[in-house]
Each structure stands twice: as C-alpha cells, then as structure tokens.
Amino acid sequence: MSEQETHPAEAATYDVAAVQDKWLPVWDELQPFRADDDSPREKRYALTMFPYPSGDLHMGHAEVTALHDVIARYWWQRGFEVLNPMGWDSFGLPAENAAIRNNEHPATYTYANIETQYESFRRYGISFDWTRRLHTSDPAYYRWTQWLFLKFRERGLAYRKNSPVNWCPNDQTVLANEQVVDGRCERCGHEVTKRELTQWYFKITEYAQELLDCLDDLEPTWPARVVSAQRNWIGRSEGAHVDFAVEGRAEPITVYTTRPDTIFGTTFLVVAVDSPLAEELVTDEQRAAFEAYREEIRKETEIERLSTDRAKTGVDLGVTATNPVTGTQIPVWATDYVLADYGTGAVMGVPGGDQRDWEFATTMGLEIVRTTQTPEGFDGEAFHGEGPAINSPAPGVDAPLDINGLSVDEAKRATIDFLEQQRAGEGTVNFRLRDWLLSRQRYWGVPIPIIHCEKDGEVAVPYDQLPLELPELRGADLKPKGVSPLAAAEEWVNVACPTCGGPAKRDSDTMDTFVDSSWYFLRFCSPDYTDGPFDVAKANAWMPVDIYVGGVEHAVLHLLYARFFTKVLRDMGMLEVGEPFSAQLNQGFVINRGKKMSKSLGNGVSLGDQLAEFGVDAVRLTLVFAGPPEDDIDWADMSPAGSLRFLQRAWRLSGDVTSPAGTSPEGGDVALRRVTARTVHDAAELIEAYRFNVMVARVMELVNATRKAIDSGCGPADPAVREAAEAVAILLSLVAPYTAEEMWSRLGHEPTVARAGWPVVDPALLVEDSVVAVVQIQGKVKARLDVAPDIGDADLERLAMAHPDVVRAIDGREVRKVVVRAPKLVNVVV
RNA sequence: GCCCCGAUAGCCCAACGGCAGAGGCGAUGGUCUCAAACACCAUUCAGUGUGGGUUCGAAUCCCACUCGGGGCACCA
C-alpha cells in the first residue's frame, strides 16, 4: 500500500482540468521556449502561418498548431535552440466590415479578438515564444512595411500603371489576379468585373524565371501540390514573337506564338478586342461595328467570358497584314478569345493547328490550311500533335523558307532562325504570371507612403516621417464608396509636398494585406528592432525557416509573394538566403460527417466545447493521431474519448513506478528495455518524416508493453519500468504536454519535461539477439525459424532445408531455385 | 482538355519488394456493480479499387482503366 501513501490524494481517475490549472502557471513562470539569439546551440526555425484574428480559435487552428508543435518541441528535446514565434495578420476586411456594422474602430474588433486567441493559444499549450509576438496592424510593424515599399520603389519594383483590373463590386476594391478564383472574389464570392484604374504594382514578373527555377530545389521538401500549383501559376512557355507588317503603319503587329512552325498555316490575325492595338488598327469603315462589339463584350462578366464552350465572336478590323514567310495578305480580326494582357495581345490564327482558331475560322468563313501531317485515322478538327510539317510551303509555292518534312521541334527552330535572320521575329519566353496589384480601396491596411503633387508628381514620404499612420476613422466613415475612405479624410489626405512645399495629396489607397505577411517571418527574428525592418545579423542567423506549417490554400498567394520578397531582400544585401522556407508541411482540413464545417450545414464542431469535454491533451492527441498530417480529418470518425482513455493509461504508469527517480536502467528487464529503445529510436525517424500518427501508435505500444511488464512481467520495481515510463513522458511531451508534465512530476522530476532532453538509448538494445526467419515454398510461408541476426545465407539455407515442415512441403519435388535473404527469409522454388 | 495526389478490415489508419496488421475506433463476450456508466481483460473482421506486366516473391515497381481529392485552363 506504499503507493497510496505516496499519492494519497490521487484517485484512480485522472483529473484533466486540475492538471491543466496546475501546470499552466508553472510554464508561464519558466518560459521554457524563449528563443535565445545568442545561444551556442544549433538553431532551428519552426513557423506556423500566423492567423487572421476573426473570433476565437477553431478546429483548424487547433490542428495546424498541434502538428507544428510536435516538430518544435521535438527540436527542443533534441537540443536545438528553437525559434517558434506567433503573431497576428491583423489588417484586413472583416475587421473593417465589423466596424461599419457596429459603428466602431476596426482596431477594437481586431485587438479584442487577438486577446481572445492569445489566451486560447496559451491554454492550448503550444510552445510559442510569446516574447516575440507581433501584429501587422501595429504602427511599429507597418512602419517597416512602408519602408520596404519605398525601397522596392527605388529599385523599380513598385510602380503605378493604368490598366484594366479586377474589381469586386461587393468589397468595393480591386483584387490581385491571385485573389480571383473562377471569376469570383476569393474572399466574398461575388462576381468580379473589370475596371480601368491607375494602381500600384509590385514587379514580381522580374523574378518569374528565378521563382520557377528555385522550385526544383524545393521539390524534395515542399508538398508536391504546392510546387505544381506554383509552376502552373508562373506558367512559363517558350515560343516566338512574329512581326506581321501592316501597310501604312510604321509598326508591325507582333504576335506571340508557341508554334512558330505553323506559320504557313496562318490565315488571319486576331487581336484582343479590349486592347489599345485593336482600337488603333480599326478602319473608319469598320469602327462602328467594332465599337458595338466591344461594348457588348464589356458588359459581360468574367464568369461569362471564361466559359469555355461559348461560340467564337469577332469583328473584321478592315486591315490586312503580311505573313512574313509567305508574303500573303491576311485579314486582321478583333475578338474576345484573345487576352489583352497575355503575350502581345495578338495571335496568329492557325485554324489547322489550334482548336480555338479552327472554331473561329469556321464561324467566320476563313481559310484553313493544315501544316502538320495528321496521323492515320485522325478525324478531329485542329491537330496540335507531333508530325512532319506539310504545306510549308504548299506544293508548287516558292517561299524563302522550306520546313516540309521536319518534326515539330526542328520546324520550330528553323522558323525562328529564319525570322531572326529576316528581323521579322525572335524566339522568346512568356510567363502567365502578372505583376502583383497591391493597391486596395479600403481603410484597414498599410497606407501607401506616397504623396501626389501636381508639380513634382509622385513623391515618397520621407523615411524619417515613417510610419505614416492611419487617420482615426470609424463606423460610417469606412463605408465602401469605390474610393478609399482615406480620400475623404481631408485633414489626413491634404498635405504639403515634401519637395516643393506646395499643396499635394496623399495616396489614399492601402496595401494588400499579403504585403504584410510577405516578411513577418523576418520580423520575428528581431521583433523589437527599431533601426530597420529586421536586424540583418539575426535574420541571417535564424533564416531560412526550417519548417513552415500551414494550409495549402496559400499555395500560390502568400507563398509566392513571400518568396518574391525574400529574393528582393537578398538582392538588397539584407539577406543571405534566396528562399524563405526550406521545408513545408500542409495540414488537411478538419471536416465533420464528410463535409466541410459550415453554419448552413449545421455540422460545426466547437473547439471550445471539445477542449472543455476532453481537455487540451486529448484534443491535440486526437488531431495528431488521426492520420497523415496532410489528410483531411473527419471529426465524426475520431474519438477524443479514446485519446483521453489512452492518456489516462499512460498517466497511470507514472503512479505505478516504485523505483526512485535517478534509478539507473542498467540491469532492468531486457525485453522491456528493448521495446523502449526501439520506440525512442523509431519515434525520432517518424517525426522527421512527419509521420506523427505512427509515432503516437508506437508510444501506445510502449504504454501497453509497460503495463504488461508491471502487471504480469518484471513488476513495478524493475528499473526498466521507470525507464519506459520516463520515455513515455518525454515522447508524450510533444503531443500532450499537460499529461506529460504531470507524469514527469509523479516520476519524481522537476518541471519541465518539455526540456528534459531526448531519451538516450543504448544502441546495443536496438540489436535483437534473435530474429524470426520465414521459410517460403513458392512464396507461401511454410515454416519459421529463430535465428541469430547475423546468420549467413549459407547457414540459413541449410537450417531451412532441414526443417521438417519444409521437407514435407517440398515433398520430394525438384528444387529449382532457393532465394536466401538472411536473416529474414528463404524462398524455395520447386 | 492538361498536370499532380490518393484508394488496405464496419470506420480511422500501419506494413525497407519478403508472414497483409503496429495502433486506435466500433462491435461482441467477460470482470467490476443491486443495476448501469466508467474502467479493465479478451475476442472478432479484409487478401489490399479493376485488369494486365516485371519478379523466386507485389499492398509496395511499371502500364491501362475506374472512382475520389486538388491545381491550371479560350494563356495562343
């Protein structure tokens, strides 16, 4: 009964709430996860995507941080100095909309939610270094966002241009291409329209090639779907610019094509109807028809325009152009199936090689010439596959270039060579990626630090006047009116020009919030630094982020922008690395009953309720154990009650150990010691492969083995039992910190188990003294042998062939082959 | 249409090309209880989406297909 005397107050059931209340203040005191910049230990940077402060934390936050924390805590246990910071992406529309609704300032909503989320994170026990907390809406932070904007502008990487842009009529602001999904606003789902506006852009296209090339290096450590999404988004294509001369016009029409080899089949040119080129080319006779057509197209929404099965439409512009290879005159049309802002906004119409051109030619009654030999039995329309060139030129036609019979690749090269020789074109590379539109016509964001002066034009706000703070606006002042609320803040917007002192106006737009999150991981390295956005030495010491955990919804947006910022900062000499995130892990979604949680489906699961019912550890364990991190978790299939049951079983071990703390495991039960050693060893490998669910399963096994040893094996006093229980506590500290701490304490140790260090295993215990070899006949198992792990092939074969069950199975048949894989297997082929 | 990922027991998931089962959930039986819940103990169930191929041997490698998830898409 000595156990009961030792722990008189402890009943047989584990009191989750009491354990949580007991350890949280202790950890607050100890601050075990404060990252020391000057630590001699090897550094690791673990980052999880910082949240937007909308309400309290939900299941998604719980999942991503639980997964992330396994890695961060593992690194601490392995002896690294770990930077694991957290902050808030706290500018953005929801706060602004809430402020309009409640007639208050967006900061009220924002900072109230941040406090709520902070408190929840704290209780949730994630190993964040709270001393580095930051908010992108703090002037101390956005001062440097503005500083970076000005530096980018100095390098020609931030500029203003007038261009048709995506406009969300609901949010009353422009959107970046990345924020338009299937013609709808990514945020609110409203149909997006086009508007002609002068807006600020970041010149991300200047880095398109490098952003693409570096993906090769990231491929092994980044999720495949993110790499592929970025490749698709950047959309590199190789082709040629080809010039088509137009009579009476100095400049030719330059088209972009990926199939210069089909030039002999070019029977017309098509120009984007909404391009300045179309406007300029149209003849007076055709102008009325052209303008009517253009008006019709303008009324259409993006959704209608993007529909792929719509009929081809267009208007003849009335001009002809000269095919630079054949010299033939071909008509020039305007259409909406050519995009104004891709390539040159003009395309050579090759109906024989392109299905869209085929449809257009058929509709408009234009000529069709095939220039690639179609395969036997081909009954399609346009053909864009492999085949020898034909009609290039057509039989009997004399042309300065002849590519007949060449393969597509050869023909492309020959055509480009010819065009370059004739100065009528050149080989070129094109990208789908466009410059990043960063202006937003809303209030709750970083003010663009530019002053517009009639005399001096765009003038930067002087660096010593940063931060340029937002004026105090609230409630109805923030109502979207199509221009930024800042434009109406007279006292704020009217200002003296820094150059001439005359009357001028501030730029009244704010920055896309993705600008804020494009460099926050750098700020975390020195969050209180006041001489620049970050301390260069510290950033270089911590960067790159060793693991970045977050949602795959940011595959192209945030991750592409952050990569761009990192490359620019490297080129500015402020960073050594060119890629911010060396490895990445995307968690799946937490769903319920097969569907995404939503109010309308009524299938939401409240994180708060789950925590109240099962406790922090059981919820975290459930999320980590559910399956591979990147898979979706259907909460309906999960059993937090089962997780809690397991935690109790683990906890009970710590009360059963009777040997004193500090007992050497030497001489303890070898069988149990082997299980412990194997579990600790495998757990490390599993964590490094992000296979946390399997790691948890292995800890469960260890708990089961220890239980058996106590109840019906070596007994509670055996040193191996203590060794096993301590290993369980340390391994569990990555997933269930409260339970682990309580176990550690009951095992006679001081807090905190989180910094106890990874259990040391004796390598000798990892080597089994005997293994089971399987003997197969025709691949079917017929016998098992206990053999030494270092047995040779010859010895194993001899043992196997002598086994009575094997002799019986062979049954006197001729042995044709014996495959031996010592020490595991013998396969006899008869 | 193009590209990427996946499919193993009633369910969630394991399995260096070598015994299909580590772990959990559920179910069933038992112990405990006046009874139940909890807890504990035990038992149960698939031949790996389909069809081929490679191999002594395939859940695993290759090909085709089906289904599911995701990305890109009138990008010339």
Side-chain angles (χ1 to χ4, degrees):
Chain A
M1 300 311 275
S2 61
E3 272 181 75
Q4 284 189 358
E5 282 160 26
T6 320
H7 307 295
E10 283 155 2
T13 314
Y14 166 58
D15 185 343
V16 174
V19 168
Q20 287 179 193
D21 291 344
K22 176 177 170 187
W23 293 113
L24 194 52
V26 175
W27 297 338
D28 283 345
E29 183 69 29
L30 288 173
Q31 298 204 38
F33 308 115
R34 241 181 125 146
D36 178 3
D37 295 322
D38 304 316
S39 168
R41 299 151 168 258
E42 192 181 326
K43 291 182 168 63
R44 286 286 167 93
Y45 191 170
L47 188 66
T48 182
M49 292 178 186
F50 66 165
Y52 178 81
S54 55
D56 201 349
L57 301 183
H58 51 67
M59 293 303 284
H61 295 116
E63 187 198 6
V64 63
T65 53
L67 294 168
H68 166 82
D69 210 28
V70 174
I71 301 173
R73 288 174 172 267
Y74 170 71
W75 283 342
W76 277 118
Q77 297 287 29
R78 293 310 298 251
F80 296 101
E81 189 71 20
V82 182
L83 174 57
N84 181 18
M86 179 45 83
W88 279 270
D89 188 14
S90 51
F91 269 136
L93 267 186
E96 194 162 339
N97 292 335
I100 295 165
R101 254 192 332 269
N102 306 325
N103 193 31
E104 62 185 18
H105 194 280
T108 311
Y109 167 96
T110 302
Y111 288 93
N113 284 343
I114 287 177
E115 278 318 303
T116 304
Q117 294 196 349
Y118 164 72
E119 203 38 56
S120 297
F121 269 138
R122 212 174 59 87
R123 272 182 283 119
Y124 197 54
I126 303 296
S127 66
F128 291 129
D129 176 356
W130 286 115
T131 66
R132 292 174 186 256
R133 171 176 165 179
L134 61 77
H135 318 116
T136 58
S137 56
D138 288 351
Y141 181 90
Y142 73 70
R143 167 185 183 183
W144 299 111
T145 308
Q146 291 171 331
W147 185 94
L148 287 165
F149 171 87
L150 292 178
K151 287 292 178 193
F152 276 40
R153 182 168 167 272
E154 283 172 17
R155 300 179 72 83
L157 294 170
Y159 67 97
R160 234 157 61 111
K161 75 171 173 190
N162 184 275
S163 166
V165 295
N166 303 304
W167 176 263
C168 175
N170 183 52
D171 287 341
Q172 292 277 301
T173 185
V174 301
L175 300 169
N177 281 318
E178 289 81 353
Q179 289 166 316
V180 180
V181 179
D182 293 333
R184 290 176 181 276
C185 170
E186 176 215 35
R187 181 190 312 284
C188 71
H190 199 281
E191 286 186 20
V192 167
T193 59
K194 289 277 185 188
R195 271 203 181 184
E196 190 97 1
L197 286 172
T198 300
Q199 301 281 291
W200 285 98
Y201 291 81
F202 279 135
K203 209 171 187 176
I204 190 170
T205 51
E206 190 157 314
Y207 286 81
Q209 187 67 53
E210 198 194 340
L211 287 165
L212 182 67
D213 290 343
C214 293
L215 288 173
D216 295 345
D217 300 329
L218 298 173
E219 200 147 25
T221 48
W222 273 36
R225 51 184 170 169
V226 175
V227 174
S228 117
Q230 293 220 352
R231 285 214 177 99
N232 277 332
W233 191 261
I234 295 168
R236 184 185 199 271
S237 76
E238 286 181 22
H241 280 152
V242 185
D243 295 335
F244 288 76
V246 179
E247 189 145 1
R249 187 175 187 268
E251 292 296 311
I253 298 173
T254 304
V255 304
Y256 173 71
T257 179
T258 55
R259 290 295 300 274
D261 58 302
T262 62
I263 189 146
F264 287 93
T266 306
T267 52
F268 58 95
L269 294 188
V270 244
V271 177
V273 61
D274 50 342
S275 65
L277 181 62
E279 165 81 40
E280 192 209 317
L281 286 171
V282 66
T283 58
D284 293 341
E285 295 79 55
Q286 290 299 100
R287 181 161 294 275
F290 167 72
E291 283 176 359
Y293 174 62
R294 187 170 62 180
E295 209 38 53
E296 204 178 299
I297 298 301
R298 275 195 179 152
K299 282 196 206 123
E300 294 184 342
T301 64
E302 278 294 287
I303 304 248
E304 287 164 336
R305 236 198 107 146
L306 287 172
S307 161
T308 48
D309 52 359
R310 63 206 295 256
K312 292 284 177 287
T313 54
V315 168
D316 192 337
L317 290 175
V319 288
T320 57
T322 312
N323 184 320
V325 175
T326 62
T328 320
Q329 289 297 307
I330 53 175
V332 182
W333 287 65
T335 181
D336 69 337
Y337 83 86
V338 173
L339 306 176
D341 55 354
Y342 181 77
T344 60
V347 167
M348 57 188 218
V350 188
D354 183 287
Q355 187 60 28
R356 294 157 300 184
D357 295 342
W358 177 283
E359 287 163 15
F360 189 77
T362 314
T363 309
M364 303 302 167
L366 297 162
E367 196 189 349
I368 295 173
V369 178
R370 286 200 187 280
T371 54
T372 309
Q373 182 65 58
T374 55
E376 193 93 12
F378 177 80
D379 63 349
E381 300 180 335
F383 176 71
H384 57 264
E386 248 341 292
I390 55 171
N391 293 322
S392 299
V397 175
D398 189 30
L401 172 69
D402 188 331
I403 52 173
N404 279 316
L406 298 185
S407 71
V408 170
D409 275 348
E410 291 164 344
K412 276 185 189 174
R413 209 168 312 123
T415 309
I416 291 172
D417 286 349
F418 174 80
L419 291 169
E420 289 181 347
Q421 233 169 60
Q422 303 291 307
R423 300 185 187 280
E426 59 183 350
T428 183
V429 167
N430 215 348
F431 293 94
R432 208 188 72 100
L433 180 72
R434 316 293 163 76
D435 279 342
W436 170 13
L437 197 176
L438 69 105
S439 311
R440 294 293 180 275
Q441 287 70 44
R442 296 299 294 252
Y443 169 76
W444 191 231
V446 181
I448 294 175
I450 293 290
I451 292 164
H452 300 285
C453 171
E454 288 208 5
K455 200 162 129 264
D456 298 307
E458 284 171 19
V459 181
V461 171
Y463 285 104
D464 62 9
Q465 288 176 28
L466 299 182
L468 167 59
E469 293 200 37
L470 285 166
E472 287 289 315
L473 298 183
R474 59 177 56 233
D477 294 342
L478 305 173
K479 270 229 166 73
K481 327 175 203 2
V483 290
S484 295
L486 292 180
E490 298 282 339
E491 288 197 11
W492 184 87
V493 82
N494 290 304
V495 67
C497 169
T499 307
C500 69
K505 277 188 189 293
R506 293 193 186 281
D507 197 298
S508 57
D509 287 347
T510 52
M511 297 185 206
D512 180 5
T513 56
F514 279 108
V515 181
D516 309 341
S517 52
S518 291
W519 70 281
Y520 78 111
F521 45 92
L522 299 168
R523 185 71 183 168
F524 276 138
C525 299
S526 50
D528 301 319
Y529 195 61
T530 52
D531 296 336
F534 50 88
D535 180 326
V536 167
K538 285 183 180 172
N540 282 328
W542 287 109
M543 288 294 289
V545 171
D546 295 289
I547 182 74
Y548 196 28
V549 186
V552 74
E553 65 273 19
H554 290 115
V556 285
L557 288 152
H558 164 57
L559 290 169
L560 194 65
Y561 297 150
R563 294 181 60 216
F564 164 60
F565 260 59
T566 301
K567 290 181 189 306
V568 176
L569 285 161
R570 176 206 56 201
D571 291 346
M572 286 167 65
M574 295 180 68
L575 273 183
E576 285 164 13
V577 296
E579 282 291 338
F581 315 122
S582 24
Q584 220 197 121
L585 179 64
N586 294 138
Q587 83 283 9
F589 291 108
V590 184
I591 60 174
N592 192 28
R593 299 195 296 270
K595 295 227 161 43
K596 221 174 154 174
M597 291 187 202
S598 78
K599 281 201 186 98
S600 57
L601 289 171
N603 66 341
V605 175
S606 152
L607 174 61
D609 292 352
Q610 298 295 313
L611 293 173
E613 189 171 355
F614 303 104
V616 167
D617 285 356
V619 169
R620 288 181 59 163
L621 180 74
T622 303
L623 291 165
V624 170
F625 181 56
E630 57 278 2
D631 287 4
D632 287 351
I633 297 172
D634 193 331
W635 195 251
D637 295 333
M638 296 300 126
S639 173
S643 299
L644 181 55
R645 211 148 49 220
F646 162 71
L647 290 172
Q648 286 174 357
R649 280 164 56 78
W651 169 85
R652 220 170 280 126
L653 294 180
S654 63
D656 289 351
V657 171
T658 54
S659 57
T663 301
S664 163
E666 294 292 329
D669 181 75
V670 173
L672 181 58
R673 292 203 67 202
R674 282 191 198 285
V675 177
T676 305
R678 177 58 58 193
T679 304
V680 168
H681 175 265
D682 291 356
E685 285 182 357
L686 289 164
I687 292 164
E688 283 169 30
Y690 313 137
R691 306 193 54 205
F692 313 131
N693 55 324
V694 186
M695 184 270 289
V696 170
R698 300 300 305 277
V699 178
M700 289 174 170
E701 247 179 292
L702 177 57
V703 168
N704 292 345
T706 313
R707 182 80 260 157
K708 250 191 191 112
I710 292 171
D711 291 346
S712 55
C714 57
D718 191 287
V721 169
R722 165 167 285 277
E723 183 186 35
E726 293 187 348
V728 168
I730 293 171
L731 294 172
L732 272 186
S733 75
L734 314 187
V735 185
Y738 291 103
T739 306
E741 197 72 83
E742 182 65 15
M743 286 181 72
W744 196 241
S745 166
R746 280 157 57 97
L747 286 164
H749 297 290
E750 291 299 311
T752 172
V753 66
R755 297 295 302 275
W758 197 246
V760 177
V761 304
D762 179 353
L765 289 168
L766 296 173
V767 183
E768 300 295 330
D769 55 4
S770 88
V771 295
V772 176
V774 177
V775 186
Q776 301 176 332
I777 312 292
Q778 313 290 66
K780 298 253 186 285
V781 179
K782 296 293 178 189
R784 293 181 172 80
L785 304 167
D786 273 334
V787 297
D790 56 352
I791 190 169
D793 281 358
D795 289 341
L796 182 59
E797 181 175 349
R798 202 172 316 117
L799 278 175
M801 298 312 282
H803 193 283
D805 290 349
V806 175
V807 173
R808 199 173 317 126
I810 292 172
D811 195 23
R813 285 175 289 182
E814 184 196 352
V815 174
R816 289 169 43 206
K817 188 169 179 183
V818 180
V819 180
V820 186
R821 293 283 180 274
K824 298 189 71 177
L825 173 126
V826 177
N827 188 22
V828 182
V829 187
V830 293

